[in-house]
Structures are given as C-alpha cells and as structure tokens.
Amino acid sequence: MALTFRQKALLSTPLPATWMSSVVIHNVYVKFYTDVIGLSPEYVGWVYLAFNIWNVLNDPVFGVILDKIRYRPGKGKFLRVMRVTVPFMLFGLVAMAWASPDWPQTTTFLVFLTQLFLFDIASTFYLISATSYIYLAAPSREDRIDVEVGKTWIGNACSAVATVVATQLLVGDAITEHTTMAVMLMGVVLVNAVIYVIPLVKLKDPPELYEKGDAGDEHASLRQLRSDAASILRMRSFWAWFCYGITATAPMGMYFTAFLYFMDHVIRSSGTEATITDMGSMIVVLVLLPLYARMIKRIGSRTSVYVGMLPYVVGLGALFLVTEWWQVLLCYVVLMSGRQIMMTAGAPLEAALIDENERLTGTRKTGSFTALRAILSAPLIGTQTALFLWLISAFGYDQNAQVQTEAAQFGIRFATAGVPIIFVLLGAVALAFLPYSRTVEADLSEYSRSRRSPEAPLAAPIVVVDGGRPVYDSDGASGSSGP
C-alpha cells in the first residue's frame, strides 16, 4: 500500500535538516573563513583534503556499526542514533562562527580543521541513519520519488534561510563586521535546530520495519564483514553507480560556494541581486519538479538522468559568457532543472542497489551502502572544494583585492562551470554500465515493497541464477551483475 501524504511529508524532513547544516558548514563557512576570518584559500584547501581522507577512512566503519546495531523495543534503531547526534552537530555549527580574525593563520587552520572533524563524525552517523530509515519506511520506487520531491521542496526552503543570509553577508559590502555576521549566523543555526526537532519528535521506528532482512542480529566478525563486502563488490550495478558518483555528481556538493565567488568577483553583483538569482532560479525549478517526477516515473530513472544531463551542461556552458546577474539567473534556471532531474532520478536508483543486494543475500546492508554513498558524496565535497580553491589560487585569486584580475575571473568561471562539465561527461559513460532498465527497477521496487509488507506476496523475481551469478532478463539491460 502506498504511503499517505502525511507519511511522505514526514519522511521528507530528516535529510533537509542536515542539508541545511551542510550548506552552512561546507559552503557558507568556506567563504566566511577566507573573506572574513582571513584564512588563506590554500589553507582551506588543505583542510578539505584532510577532511576527504578522514571520510574515506571512517565512513565504512560507521556504516558497518549502524548495520549491526540491534533494534531496541521502545527506542528503535536508526531514529535513536539520529536523536543522539543532533546536539553535537548544532554545537559544531555554533563554534565555527566564533573564530577570531586576529588569530594566526596556523591557529585558525587547526581550529577550523578540528571543528570540521567533530561535526563530521556526528553528521555522518546522522546521515547514514536517516537515509537507512527512509529506505525502509518508503520501500517502493514511486514512494521514494515522491519523498525525494518533498525533500527537495523542504530542503530548498530550509537551505534558503542559510543562502539568503550568506548572500547578504558574503556578497557585496553591506555587512563586514565579524561579530554582526556571527550573530546573524546564530539565527540560521536556531532555525536549523527547529527543523531537526520535527522528524525526531514526529517519526516513529516500529519493529515491523526490521522483521525481514535486518542485520542487527548478525555478529560483526571479520568473516561476516568480508562476506558483506564481497556481496557488494561483486555487483556490476555498484561499480557503475560508484563511477557515476565520483564523476557526474561530485561537483554538485559545493555549487553554492562557487556561486558566491562567481557572483561576488566575476559578476560583481550586490547581495540582493545574488539572492534573487539563487532563490529565483530554484523557485522556478521547484514549481516544475512534480512534472519532472512524473516524467521519471514514466520513462525510468536511468533514462531520466541522461535527460537531465543536457540542460545541466547547457546551463553551465552559458556561464562562460554571462556578464550580468539576470543572465546568471537564466543560466541557473536551466542548469538547476537538469541537476534536480538527475538528483530526483538518482534517489530510487541508489535505493535499488540495496534492494538488489538484499534479494541476493537475504539481509539489508543499508548502512554499508549508505557509507559508500558518503564516500561518493561527502568526501568528494571536500575534494571538489579543494580543487576549486586551488584552481582559483593558481589563476591569481587574491582574497584581499577589491577587484580580481581578468585571469583570476576566468579561473573562477572555469572552476565554477568548466570542471562540472568535464565531470558530468565522464559520468555519462559510467552510467551506461548501470543495468537498471525501467523493468528491472520496477521489479526491485516490488520486491522491496513486499518485504516491508508481510501480508503481500513476494514479487516474482526476474533475476535468475546462472552459475551462481545473477543475470538480468530485461529490456536492453541484460548482463551479469558482477564486474
């Protein structure tokens, strides 16, 4: 049975809360630390390189831990972890705003790095738990697409609070005093805290979600961990999605940071013009999003990702030519439409990986898969941020200059638009190897729905065993699921 509107709305709230935190941490604070605190872009680049290495090391461990946590009657599993981690994230958001511009570069570097690491530990546990919970509570592809639309609406409304404050504070010269900026950022943190409370209070973690396939009763032995890892690494779909993630979607995580530099130093817009550009483009995209979701349900998620790549590349390419803020607005309407189609279609595809593995092994490894998702997203946010900052530095960006040189402005254009174009073209090649046609995707969705609905019969599988290896029999997506 499909979820109700209220259920979908509630499931749309946990991730937007952490998205808003990520906007503040990974986007707003980057420019805040270079332009207000005075930390050199090279230092910020090194912070995010260290952050990237840290994520590669800890995210798989966190995923395994969450997979093996037992469900506790009356307390739950994934929601319990979410409730513990939120206070630590909020503390990190507060502390990072109060670094002093008078500190030496080395001190600021170490403080920024330490606070980022502490925030990330809590954030990673929360993100994996929230995503794991949503995949269980919204088992079918149709429900997942609708929840993704809701997440996008709510997420943009939440993030708008952070982005409006950021564009007013960090673009133009209306406000330059550090304490005033820090106090205004505390208002953003307060709003973020309220958004966290909604899912933590309203959502429930019933035992029915864990009756089939939960790995909480498995012993986390080395043999079991090897078996879990092998079952994932043998999947062709895993490798195709992994390569797509490290290319096509990688620059998306820090687009707002690039937007701030682009509007401030290339277009030289006011804060109000930057706000109109950012919010205006997303309002148009959000109005069109239900139509995009309907298209995705009709033609399939993988095909829809390819459809979204076209406006994404066209909009990015046009950024090399624009000189006025309203021209940037038009570009962002086009490229953000493509980005949202790609992201909305990608959500059920990533969940399908977990469904496929559960059908092959009998247990859900949501934490392990979500840990891989963190490897594909959070660490690459760090890599992309470091790449952006190193590129603009190489072209001569000077954070103390009132007007950047032509070379520095071109460097910002290339880092903002050229790099994402290169990455998405590479991702298009990787996506061709993902064996999820519309038929395969629908069958995995039915299997997942049946597992979460004990009264419903199991879906008839279209995966057959050939020599112990699964083979899909589908329209245009046949072949071994192993590499």
Side-chain angles (χ1 to χ4, degrees):
M1 184 175 65
L3 299 177
T4 65
F5 175 82
R6 180 178 183 275
Q7 290 171 322
K8 293 175 184 177
L10 283 175
L11 288 173
S12 299
T13 56
L15 288 177
T18 194
W19 290 348
M20 183 175 180
S21 299
S22 294
V23 168
V24 176
I25 289 288
H26 298 298
N27 300 125
V28 176
Y29 278 146
V30 169
K31 197 166 189 297
F32 181 78
Y33 267 75
T34 59
D35 290 17
V36 179
I37 303 300
L39 186 63
S40 170
E42 290 89 347
Y43 273 111
V44 179
W46 285 114
V47 165
Y48 273 90
L49 178 61
F51 174 72
N52 175 50
I53 296 171
W54 165 254
N55 273 282
V56 171
L57 295 175
N58 72 29
D59 286 350
V61 176
F62 292 171
V64 170
I65 291 173
L66 287 167
D67 271 342
K68 308 306 179 185
I69 288 178
R70 290 178 177 270
Y71 177 86
R72 293 184 183 180
K75 294 185 178 180
K77 180 175 178 176
F78 295 124
L79 274 179
R80 184 173 83 248
V81 176
M82 292 161 62
R83 288 164 179 157
V84 170
T85 54
V86 166
F88 292 95
M89 288 190 287
L90 294 175
F91 173 79
L93 289 170
V94 170
M96 292 184 76
W98 295 100
S100 173
D102 298 328
W103 291 347
Q105 289 278 302
T106 303
T107 301
T108 305
F109 167 78
L110 292 174
V111 169
F112 188 24
L113 181 64
T114 301
Q115 291 173 343
L116 184 63
F117 273 34
L118 293 176
F119 171 86
D120 182 68
I121 293 173
S123 177
T124 301
F125 272 117
Y126 180 94
L127 176 64
I128 296 174
S129 298
T131 306
S132 301
Y133 177 84
I134 292 169
Y135 286 170
L136 284 173
S140 72
R141 68 180 297 270
E142 290 77 15
D143 286 337
R144 288 166 177 168
I145 291 172
D146 290 339
V147 168
E148 187 66 22
V149 172
K151 283 161 52 181
T152 304
W153 280 341
I154 296 172
N156 277 277
C158 297
S159 298
V161 177
T163 57
V164 168
V165 172
T167 51
Q168 294 299 319
L169 292 180
L170 301 174
V171 178
D173 300 319
I175 302 174
T176 58
E177 201 273 321
H178 167 251
T179 302
T180 303
M181 290 185 174
V183 171
M184 293 183 70
L185 287 171
M186 293 305 94
V188 175
V189 175
L190 179 60
V191 174
N192 199 181
V194 173
I195 297 166
Y196 275 116
V197 169
I198 296 173
L200 298 186
V201 172
K202 295 292 184 179
L203 289 174
K204 307 299 179 184
D205 211 1
E208 291 80 13
L209 295 180
Y210 305 92
E211 288 180 350
K212 293 182 179 178
D214 183 51
D217 293 329
E218 291 182 348
H219 182 61
S221 64
L222 182 60
R223 180 178 180 181
Q224 182 64 56
L225 297 180
R226 286 177 177 172
S227 176
D228 290 347
S231 71
I232 296 173
L233 295 176
R234 284 195 297 264
M235 297 170 63
R236 167 179 150 188
S237 49
F238 163 76
W239 288 107
W241 191 249
F242 176 86
C243 292
Y244 171 79
I246 63 175
T247 51
T249 64
M252 294 181 182
M254 54 80 60
Y255 85 92
F256 187 65
T257 299
F259 173 82
L260 289 174
Y261 282 89
F262 188 84
M263 295 300 288
D264 195 18
H265 299 297
V266 178
I267 303 302
R268 295 187 58 79
S269 71
S270 67
T272 300
E273 289 168 344
T275 300
I276 294 173
T277 301
D278 178 56
M279 295 191 64
S281 60
M282 281 311 303
I283 289 172
V284 174
V285 173
L286 291 175
V287 171
L288 296 174
L289 192 55
L291 298 179
Y292 300 155
R294 186 178 303 175
M295 176 196 71
I296 294 167
K297 292 178 183 178
R298 185 174 66 252
I299 69 176
S301 297
R302 187 182 61 177
T303 301
S304 297
V305 173
Y306 279 119
V307 171
M309 286 180 179
L310 180 59
Y312 182 66
V313 170
V314 170
L316 286 169
L319 289 179
F320 280 101
L321 306 174
V322 297
T323 58
E324 302 290 338
W325 71 269
W326 60 268
Q327 297 169 344
V328 180
L329 170 61
L330 296 178
C331 290
Y332 267 79
V333 168
V334 176
L335 76 88
M336 292 303 288
S337 290
R339 178 178 184 262
Q340 288 302 324
I341 291 172
M342 293 167 64
M343 293 183 67
T344 303
L349 287 176
E350 186 156 342
L353 291 174
I354 302 168
D355 298 335
E356 178 191 357
N357 186 264
E358 181 182 6
R359 180 151 66 176
L360 294 173
T361 65
T363 59
R364 289 185 72 79
K365 302 171 186 66
T366 317
S368 298
F369 273 102
T370 311
L372 292 175
R373 182 186 181 212
I375 291 175
L376 302 180
S377 58
L380 287 167
I381 291 174
T383 300
Q384 290 295 322
T385 302
L387 178 61
F388 178 88
L389 292 166
W390 287 336
L391 274 174
I392 66 175
S393 294
F395 278 90
Y397 175 78
D398 180 2
Q399 69 267 30
N400 297 315
Q402 290 295 319
V403 179
Q404 300 296 324
T405 65
E406 289 187 9
Q409 291 183 41
F410 177 80
I412 295 173
R413 286 185 190 267
F414 181 74
T416 301
V419 170
I421 290 174
I422 294 171
F423 274 67
V424 79
L425 293 177
L426 293 173
V429 177
L431 191 65
F433 292 90
L434 184 69
Y436 289 167
S437 67
R438 183 175 60 179
T439 302
V440 172
E441 186 187 7
D443 183 76
L444 289 171
S445 171
E446 178 59 20
Y447 170 80
S448 175
R449 186 197 63 78
S450 299
R451 290 281 278 185
R452 309 284 84 80
S453 303
E455 72 282 357
L458 290 177
I462 62 171
V463 176
V464 296
V465 175
D466 179 12
R469 295 170 70 83
V471 179
Y472 289 125
D473 181 14
S474 63
D475 54 306
S478 62
S480 169
S481 70

